[in-house]
Amino acid sequence: MTGCVHIIDDDEAIRDALSFLFASRGLRATAWASGEDFLAALPQPDCACIVLDVRMGGLSGPDTFDRLRATGCRAPVIFLTGHADVPVAVRALKAGAFDFVEKPFNDNAIVDLVLAAIESHTARTAELGARQDVERRLATLSAREEEVLRLMLQGRLNKQIADTLGIAMRTVELHRSRLIAKMGARNAVELAALLSETGLPR
Amino acid sequence: MQDGISRHSRDRGGEPWALEAPAPRAGLDLLSLTPLVAIVALVALVGALVWLAGRNEVEQVRTKLATDALWVEQTLRFQLSVDEDLLARMALDEAGGTAPSVLEARARLHIANNPEMLSIVWHDPDGRARRAIPGASEGPGDEALAAQLQLSGPRARPVWGAIDGSTVTMGVRPQGSAGTITATISLPLMLERHIPWWIAGEYAVHLLDAGGEIRASRSRSGPEPMGPAHSISFDPPIPGAVLRIASYDRVSPFGRTLLPAAIAGLAAFAILALLALYRNAQRRRQAELRLNEEMAFRRSMEESLTVGLRAKDHAGRVLYVNSAFCNLVGQPAAELVGRAPPMPYWAPDRLDETLNRQRILAEGGAVPQSFETRFRRGDGSEIDVQVYEAPLIDAKGMHRGWMGSIIDITEARRAARQAREQEDSLARTGRLVTLGEMASTLAHELNQPLAAIASYAAGATNLLAQGRADPALLGDALGKLSRQADRAGQIIRRIQDLVKKREPRFLPLDLAEVIRETAGFLAADARARGVRIATDLAPVAPVLADRILIEQLLINLMRNGIEAMAEAQARDALTVSLRPELGGAVVEVADRGPGIAPEVAERLFDAFTSTKAEGMGIGLNVCRSIVEMHRGRLTHRPREGGGCVFRVALPAAAEEGVAAE
């Protein structure tokens, strides 16, 4: 399946129970007894999701979260909160946590939440990858090709583009076919779709 | 440090507390030296005196000897000169023609008077004896001498011959005569006759010839004389003769040696005695020093004690107090020592008790006792003391009185009292303060096992649903699940222990005081939330109530009010009022909070209804239980101008007791 879920909680029973629960849904889980332990073990390349208890002896959940983000780890974080810790969890959400679950949680809700987090993270990662790809390709265009592309996106015809740029129609066609190839699209329509998806070029 | 001390004390053979030994003073103690000097001087003087006396005596003996020797010599010379005169006269007379018979008669007379003259002999010119007095048989005279005289011619004085045996002969040749006259003198007889007994008693007198042979002597039989001797040449008259006088009486050994020896011995003895005395004095001094040190040390120990010490005799008269005791009772030792009871430091309200205790102490025999009492200090303040009385046994083993050690326990008592009070109030406030916090803790604590239980259950369900029900795996999970259920149960039990159920104690209670105290207790908390607490208390009759429960009730109601007002940021004060009412008293807590919504008001006193984000919804529930336990009523109504009023009505104590329930 996907990556590994990391459970950080100072209560051994919770760690064990959650590991069991995730395993029952086919999720790989690794449990850590404290935030310090987990931070010391970074980086975790296949880290898909982090389940983090708010109230822990030593480094608290929010503190662990802050340090985690400082290391550049972008994995989704789900907080486990008690009755009185909801405001803390809300603050964590604002700081970029994926979600929080109130203890005692409802049987499979937490697993569903973890799966959703993984999915969304994967999607986000893919989207990000695509965008970076387009950007890389755009960077390979020559100045003339870029001008041609802008005018194309404005819906100008080849003839108009040629006039605007003061170049031969034949040359425009040449630029056009080359930049489409460079952008990895099969035709102008596909190129337009690709660029609109990523909102480029700005 | 420690080591140094112990080594030092080992060196001195003293106690570990002994002070440094004083550095030995340079030189000996002058005082102890004086008798020694005196004795040495005395001995020297006496020695000198004895020596001088001895020398004197020797001098005297020598002088006396010389004198006596001279005297003896004079005597003998005189005698011989008398004999010589006789002979000279006879020679003269013979030359003058005196008849021989006359001369012979004279000679006879002389010999009779002077027995040492053995004989007088007339010789003819060829030296043979012609006549002799007393008889011819009496020695032939000295023919050699006579012959010699014949040759030498006449002379006035007689001439002496050599000593022959023990006699000596002198001869004279009368003028105009062809013969010579000789007289033979027995030396021993001469000595015998002319040395008086008092000389003979003292000296041995010898007459020696030129060869040193003794020819005559006058001495005692027995030992040779040991004393000094004096020799005088007796050469004229007797050629080569020497007169030697030796004193029997050697200088007395006592005077010469025994006395100095005795004195030296005595001096040595005196010095030894002195040394012994000195050593003894040293030892005494050291003992004294040690005693002083020990006394000083004991005194310093006594003075450094923080425990008061007091010795008293059987009559209760104070024999001794240490400084700690004086500080304790705030009076100088001079004021206390020698005083008979009653003591100035006895607390006046405990006089009888103290005197009674004295009596018991006196009657109880020598058994240590301990008690607590109160002393009154010199400045009038009072202190609590713990007294231990132990029998004071003197050096003879007599029970002389009592030795008391007194410890000030005022502080300790106060601290204990405070601690007790604090504990009480802590227990009280703890019970009250933790109601809210406890709820939160309880929730969190319970959440852990519950979350674990839910997860195990969900996991097991998932496995079952997927048909992956491995019995071992499931069994393990379910075992863990039940352990977590146990844990949850334990948490609940622990909480119950914390909120110990206690039997309520209904006693007459002054509500105003409880309200004041509670308001004081909450004041800081209220200030922190920007809320002021105002009280409006009218005098009311006491109610029969359990103080702790009523405090809990009030704290809960007031805290609810404070929190509501803090939320609404109200300006007004939280007002707690107390009013008498028919058959009891009414307490009202009025806040300026947001008030209570009508839909909540219905369920307000139900358990687990809360208007607060973090409320557990048990506070008011508990409050109502408390009020109902007291046969009272808890109600609430909206306050005019916003807010809410909680009203507690409690029956007066005079009504039938509720304690029976």
Side-chain angles (χ1 to χ4, degrees):
Chain A
M1 165 96 204
T2 48
C4 176
V5 180
H6 290 276
I7 303 158
I8 306 169
D9 194 314
D10 61 353
D11 190 316
E12 208 224 328
I14 300 268
R15 293 199 300 272
D16 188 69
L18 283 179
S19 303
F20 174 72
L21 177 60
F22 290 142
S24 76
R25 293 278 299 267
L27 276 169
R28 271 192 308 125
T30 310
W32 306 87
S34 72
E36 291 93 329
D37 286 0
F38 178 69
L39 290 172
L42 286 176
Q44 297 282 347
D46 64 346
C47 177
C49 181
I50 296 165
V51 178
L52 182 53
D53 188 28
V54 167
R55 207 189 279 208
M56 288 191 292
L59 209 56
S60 73
D63 290 346
T64 308
F65 176 72
D66 292 343
R67 295 193 190 191
L68 189 64
R69 284 287 180 259
T71 63
C73 173
R74 295 272 159 261
V77 173
I78 295 167
F79 276 104
L80 300 178
T81 71
H83 169 75
D85 303 325
V86 174
V88 181
V90 171
R91 272 200 298 280
L93 273 190
K94 287 178 182 158
F98 182 80
D99 204 346
F100 68 90
V101 186
E102 219 177 314
K103 279 190 276 190
F105 22 76
N106 194 354
D107 35 27
N108 275 311
I110 186 164
V111 191
D112 296 339
L113 196 62
V114 166
L115 286 171
I118 293 172
E119 203 175 314
S120 101
H121 184 62
T122 311
R124 244 181 87 71
T125 313
E127 188 184 305
L128 244 149
R131 200 177 144 140
Q132 280 169 344
D133 189 46
V134 171
E135 278 180 352
R136 263 200 312 278
R137 285 168 192 274
L138 278 173
T140 62
L141 301 184
S142 68
R144 183 61 81 192
E145 283 165 358
E146 215 170 314
E147 286 174 336
V148 172
L149 175 60
R150 278 182 200 286
L151 294 166
M152 269 173 66
L153 290 175
Q154 286 169 15
R156 308 283 179 90
L157 300 173
N158 286 353
K159 191 171 176 325
Q160 291 167 310
I161 296 171
D163 283 347
T164 310
L165 296 177
I167 51 174
M169 175 90 165
R170 179 89 187 88
T171 315
V172 173
E173 279 173 8
L174 200 71
H175 279 310
R176 183 180 162 134
S177 68
R178 192 175 296 164
L179 77 88
I180 288 175
K182 270 189 180 174
M183 290 305 293
R186 282 195 297 268
N187 50 47
V189 177
E190 201 170 293
L191 173 63
L194 181 70
L195 289 173
S196 73
E197 242 172 55
T198 55
L200 290 164
R202 283 177 301 276
Chain B
M1 204 62 242
Q2 185 63 45
D3 194 64
I5 285 175
S6 63
R7 195 177 53 242
H8 161 79
S9 62
R10 260 204 305 280
D11 289 349
R12 291 197 48 205
E15 324 306 328
W17 45 256
L19 305 170
E20 282 294 324
R25 270 159 304 180
L28 280 160
D29 187 4
L30 216 62
L31 201 66
S32 59
L33 212 61
T34 321
L36 198 67
V37 168
I39 281 187
V40 168
L42 185 71
V43 167
L45 280 173
V46 169
L49 198 68
V50 166
W51 182 74
L52 279 175
R55 255 193 43 171
N56 234 341
E57 197 185 1
V58 170
E59 278 306 301
Q60 271 179 354
V61 167
R62 285 206 170 281
T63 311
K64 185 166 175 293
L65 176 68
T67 319
D68 287 349
L70 277 175
W71 189 87
V72 168
E73 183 205 17
Q74 292 297 339
T75 305
L76 292 181
R77 276 186 198 283
F78 177 75
Q79 185 53 46
L80 287 180
S81 73
V82 166
D83 291 343
E84 273 179 18
D85 286 352
L86 170 81
L87 215 57
R89 283 262 312 276
M90 284 182 72
L92 210 65
D93 289 350
E94 191 172 326
T98 309
S101 58
V102 175
L103 293 177
E104 279 175 28
R106 199 189 295 172
R108 236 180 266 284
L109 182 65
H110 185 86
I111 288 176
N113 284 336
N114 298 293
E116 77 272 9
M117 188 168 281
L118 296 177
S119 61
I120 299 177
V121 182
W122 280 265
H123 299 265
D124 51 22
D126 53 9
R128 272 196 305 275
R130 209 174 41 190
R131 286 176 298 163
I133 299 295
S137 59
E138 297 294 327
D142 191 340
E143 283 172 9
L145 178 70
Q148 186 194 329
L149 283 171
Q150 280 303 101
L151 291 176
S152 69
R155 42 174 62 214
R157 298 298 299 170
V159 173
W160 289 86
I163 294 169
D164 172 26
S166 62
T167 59
V168 69
T169 309
M170 61 176 165
V172 70
R173 186 172 162 204
Q175 203 77 28
S177 156
T180 53
I181 306 170
T182 63
T184 303
I185 288 164
S186 160
L187 295 171
L189 275 176
M190 179 179 74
L191 297 185
E192 185 84 29
R193 290 249 321 143
H194 296 288
I195 293 180
W197 60 268
W198 48 268
I199 293 275
E202 239 177 296
Y203 307 102
V205 183
H206 300 283
L207 204 61
L208 294 88
D209 61 11
E213 282 280 318
I214 294 175
R215 295 297 181 162
S217 58
R218 172 115 196 247
S219 63
R220 305 182 213 154
S221 58
E224 282 298 294
M226 301 293 293
H230 193 74
S231 297
I232 302 172
S233 168
F234 208 58
D235 195 340
I238 303 167
V242 172
L243 184 68
R244 201 176 73 196
I245 296 184
S247 170
Y248 283 112
D249 189 10
R250 48 191 293 208
V251 176
S252 74
F254 177 73
R256 289 300 303 275
T257 53
L258 213 61
L259 190 62
I263 286 171
L266 207 60
F269 176 73
I271 286 171
L272 278 176
L274 255 183
L275 276 177
L277 265 175
Y278 178 72
R279 289 262 311 268
N280 189 332
Q282 283 278 73
R283 268 203 301 277
R284 268 166 187 273
R285 231 200 327 271
Q286 268 180 355
E288 210 173 274
L289 204 68
R290 267 212 305 278
L291 197 65
N292 279 344
E293 273 181 9
E294 183 165 0
M295 282 294 290
F297 182 66
R298 282 182 187 280
R299 185 146 297 257
S300 68
M301 278 202 301
E302 278 168 16
E303 296 305 310
S304 318
L305 266 182
T306 51
V307 176
L309 291 182
R310 176 199 58 199
K312 58 181 186 184
D313 62 14
H314 287 299
R317 210 187 4 258
V318 174
L319 304 172
Y320 164 85
V321 289
N322 74 342
S323 60
F325 185 85
C326 297
N327 294 338
L328 217 59
V329 300
Q331 281 177 318
E335 285 278 305
L336 299 171
V337 175
R339 269 192 89 129
M343 290 298 163
Y345 50 80
W346 285 359
D349 55 333
R350 297 207 176 191
L351 217 54
D352 295 344
E353 182 198 330
T354 312
L355 282 167
N356 196 28
R357 195 181 300 115
Q358 286 268 77
R359 207 168 39 71
I360 291 167
L361 205 62
E363 289 166 4
V367 181
Q369 316 227 2
S370 150
F371 52 87
E372 286 184 15
T373 183
R374 193 137 19 88
F375 277 180
R376 188 212 194 100
R377 294 174 45 96
D379 58 12
S381 58
E382 297 205 334
I383 52 171
D384 291 316
V385 289
Q386 169 86 41
V387 182
Y388 300 94
E389 292 281 13
L392 178 64
I393 309 292
D394 69 4
K396 299 193 190 77
M398 294 287 295
H399 176 198
R400 275 193 61 189
W402 295 92
M403 189 77 216
S405 25
I406 294 96
I407 299 166
D408 183 353
I409 54 172
T410 316
E411 269 311 301
R413 268 204 176 168
R414 209 169 50 79
R417 213 174 21 241
Q418 258 185 344
R420 246 201 324 277
E421 283 167 7
Q422 216 160 29
E423 212 169 292
D424 271 8
S425 72
L426 260 182
R428 260 212 308 272
T429 56
R431 245 194 298 281
L432 300 166
V433 168
T434 51
L435 262 180
E437 282 159 27
M438 214 170 51
S440 159
T441 309
L442 169 72
H444 180 77
E445 289 259 313
L446 274 175
N447 275 338
Q448 302 291 91
L450 290 177
I453 287 168
S455 303
Y456 283 126
T461 312
N462 292 342
L463 291 181
L464 285 169
Q466 294 159 17
R468 290 197 295 146
D470 174 5
L473 203 64
L474 275 182
D476 186 38
L478 291 175
K480 287 174 176 170
L481 185 149
S482 73
R483 264 208 295 289
Q484 290 306 308
D486 283 350
R487 181 178 157 195
Q490 268 168 12
I491 290 167
I492 300 281
R493 263 196 299 283
R494 217 171 58 220
I495 301 277
Q496 276 175 338
D497 286 348
L498 206 68
V499 196
K500 275 203 191 71
K501 282 199 94 73
R502 53 183 279 279
E503 275 302 305
R505 284 193 303 250
F506 294 98
L507 298 167
L509 190 66
D510 177 2
L511 278 174
E513 197 231 326
V514 178
I515 291 168
R516 268 193 294 271
E517 195 175 302
T518 312
F521 174 71
L522 286 171
D525 189 21
R527 241 198 323 277
R529 293 165 180 264
V531 178
R532 198 162 53 81
I533 302 173
T535 52
D536 171 17
L537 311 176
V540 298
V543 296
L544 206 59
D546 180 300
R547 186 187 180 112
I548 290 181
L549 289 178
I550 295 293
E551 276 179 356
Q552 193 165 336
L553 162 76
L554 287 170
I555 285 193
N556 260 293
L557 292 179
M558 286 160 80
R559 187 169 270 160
N560 279 346
I562 290 166
E563 281 170 6
M565 287 170 72
E567 207 179 325
Q569 302 207 321
R571 307 260 63 162
D572 210 341
L574 174 82
T575 309
V576 186
S577 59
L578 175 64
R579 295 273 175 277
E581 204 190 45
L582 189 65
V586 170
V587 181
E588 287 194 341
V589 180
D591 66 52
R592 283 276 180 227
I596 291 163
E599 65 272 16
V600 177
E602 301 281 308
R603 302 179 288 109
L604 188 61
F605 292 116
D606 294 357
F608 309 118
T609 298
S610 181
T611 59
K612 288 180 278 184
E614 297 177 28
M616 289 293 292
I618 55 175
L620 283 175
N621 186 263
V622 168
C623 288
R624 189 158 70 173
S625 309
I626 290 172
V627 175
E628 282 167 1
M629 207 187 284
H630 287 81
R631 290 271 187 96
R633 284 196 63 212
L634 174 60
T635 54
H636 66 96
R637 63 173 190 272
R639 187 177 180 183
E640 285 177 32
C644 177
V645 180
F646 280 86
R647 181 178 193 277
V648 179
L650 292 172
E655 289 215 346
E656 58 184 274
V658 276
E661 309 218 341

